[in-house]
Amino acid sequence: MTDTLNVAGLTVHYQTREGALQALREVALNVPAGQIVGIVGESGCGKSTLINALLQLMPENARIAAGSIRLQAEELVRAPPRRLRDLRGRDIAVVFQDPMTSLNPVLTIGRQMLDVQYRDRRPRAAKLALAAAMLGRVGLPDPVAKLGAYPHELSGGQRQRVAIAMAVMMRPKLLIADEPTTALDATLEVQIIELLRELQQEIGCAILFISHHLGVIAELCDRVVVMYAGEAVEEGPVHDVFLSPGHPYTARLIECDPGRMKTRVAQLPAIPGNLPDLTDPPPGCIFRARCDSATERCASHPGHVALAPGHWAACHFAAKDRA
């Protein structure tokens, strides 16, 4: 199976007063064609930086210090700005967390969906017909009337459906979903997950799904990459990673999922300690200071330990723990 997205050795630094903040370090991941790959981790793990790097839309104080980002074998790092503009929206599309900030509040839905099709030379009427058809496909009632509505006239769930319709309208090769269900209630969350799965199967695109919600990752994704403090610490099929985690951080993250709790408790479980200072990351395993199983060996950086076909963890004791 060919990879739609291939990221190798991606290292991103932010220049700050305290020095270079190493937001991503040697991140590697693949998103095969036709699959949904989840990225999960607590706040500060580097999920947002990864998205910005993939889109090549980073703040002025950020730079890619090393690594490669390939979309179907085409290198994106240091690609000409005009080429990147051609790719965004057509070959790479994004569904953001809050559609109220990603949609223009002073333009109608129809106008914004026309703007997405600016490369298409078809007549305006044909573009509007496609826009209405996509709104209907994502489940919006009376889609023709919705073209004349403004974002504030729609509910949160309807706005997110509009954002999804805009993202998939050009049939992208890669769809990046940046926590698209976080602002929705549980019922709408399930509906959006089902919608994304159906659209992915129809279009055949690959999806990179960013979330901190383990339940959503387990329900939607084929594979999952676990990130911690700017590093990918485990990757594998969702079933393998969730049932037999190889990295201590993955295991603790799963234990802290409120969905696993069967009884009421006064305090939710949490991983003790804090994220390391990324302007001066500690040597060795990045999770060492918060790990109950850490030894002197953890002062050296662990490599990728293979646990099963397609499943690895960056821990010296991953294979031993699994045995």
Side-chain angles (χ1 to χ4, degrees):
M1 182 180 294
T2 59
D3 291 332
T4 297
L5 176 71
N6 179 271
V7 178
L10 184 62
T11 300
V12 177
H13 294 172
Y14 291 103
Q15 295 301 322
T16 69
R17 294 179 180 178
E18 291 74 25
L21 189 150
Q22 302 176 35
L24 294 179
R25 295 179 308 286
E26 296 290 327
V27 172
L29 63 93
N30 298 320
V31 184
Q35 287 198 11
I36 305 177
V37 175
I39 305 288
V40 67
E42 60 188 326
S43 297
C45 72
K47 300 190 296 291
S48 297
T49 298
L50 176 61
I51 294 173
N52 293 336
L54 296 179
L55 296 171
Q56 293 291 282
L57 292 174
M58 297 185 294
E60 293 182 356
N61 67 330
R63 69 182 181 91
I64 296 179
S68 170
I69 302 172
R70 293 181 179 272
L71 180 70
Q72 290 192 335
E74 180 177 358
E75 180 61 59
L76 301 187
V77 176
R78 288 175 289 279
R82 182 169 183 174
R83 177 55 182 159
L84 292 172
R85 287 195 296 270
D86 288 341
L87 291 173
R88 298 186 195 112
R90 186 185 65 187
D91 293 335
I92 306 177
V94 188
V95 179
F96 291 102
Q97 177 176 340
D98 184 5
M100 198 58 189
T101 57
S102 60
L103 295 174
N104 192 322
V106 299
L107 297 180
T108 64
I109 300 301
R111 168 64 187 278
Q112 295 183 62
M113 296 191 77
L114 283 176
D115 290 344
V116 173
Q117 303 175 69
Y118 75 95
R119 301 180 182 90
D120 197 330
R121 298 181 180 275
R122 291 185 300 173
R124 176 185 172 91
K127 293 180 180 180
L128 286 174
L130 175 59
M134 285 306 306
L135 292 180
R137 175 60 191 87
V138 298
L140 284 175
D142 198 358
V144 175
K146 291 295 188 295
L147 293 175
Y150 289 87
H152 71 271
E153 297 178 298
L154 306 180
S155 67
Q158 289 178 329
R159 287 194 294 266
Q160 194 61 286
R161 290 174 187 271
V162 169
I164 293 173
M166 292 175 65
V168 302
M169 187 163 50
M170 303 307 295
R171 305 181 72 87
K173 299 172 183 175
L174 175 68
L175 175 64
I176 301 174
D178 181 15
E179 304 199 37
T181 63
T182 299
L184 306 178
D185 61 41
T187 301
L188 289 175
E189 184 175 61
V190 172
Q191 295 175 3
I192 294 299
I193 291 172
E194 290 295 333
L195 177 60
L196 285 173
R197 183 186 289 111
E198 292 172 4
L199 291 172
Q200 186 269 336
Q201 293 173 352
E202 290 178 15
I203 298 173
C205 67
I207 296 181
L208 187 65
F209 190 89
I210 316 294
S211 182
H212 64 276
H213 195 315
L214 297 177
V216 173
I217 294 288
E219 181 70 23
L220 179 65
C221 299
D222 301 299
R223 297 180 58 81
V224 60
V225 178
V226 181
M227 293 189 64
Y228 176 75
E231 295 184 12
V233 297
E234 185 165 359
E235 178 182 358
V238 166
H239 183 272
D240 291 355
V241 172
F242 280 16
L243 290 184
S244 301
H247 197 281
Y249 173 67
T250 307
R252 296 302 301 271
L253 199 64
I254 294 172
E255 291 172 1
C256 293
D257 182 13
R260 293 170 53 90
M261 300 177 63
K262 306 300 182 183
T263 59
R264 291 186 178 182
V265 294
Q267 187 172 359
L268 292 174
I271 303 174
N274 300 307
L275 289 168
D277 180 6
L278 295 185
T279 60
D280 185 23
C285 176
I286 193 66
F287 189 61
R288 177 168 49 127
R290 303 174 72 182
C291 181
D292 296 334
S293 305
T295 68
E296 293 181 0
R297 185 180 179 185
C298 300
S300 63
H301 197 280
H304 290 182
V305 177
L307 303 175
H311 183 192
W312 59 262
C315 176
H316 291 296
F317 310 106
K320 178 181 177 182
D321 291 342
R322 168 169 283 216

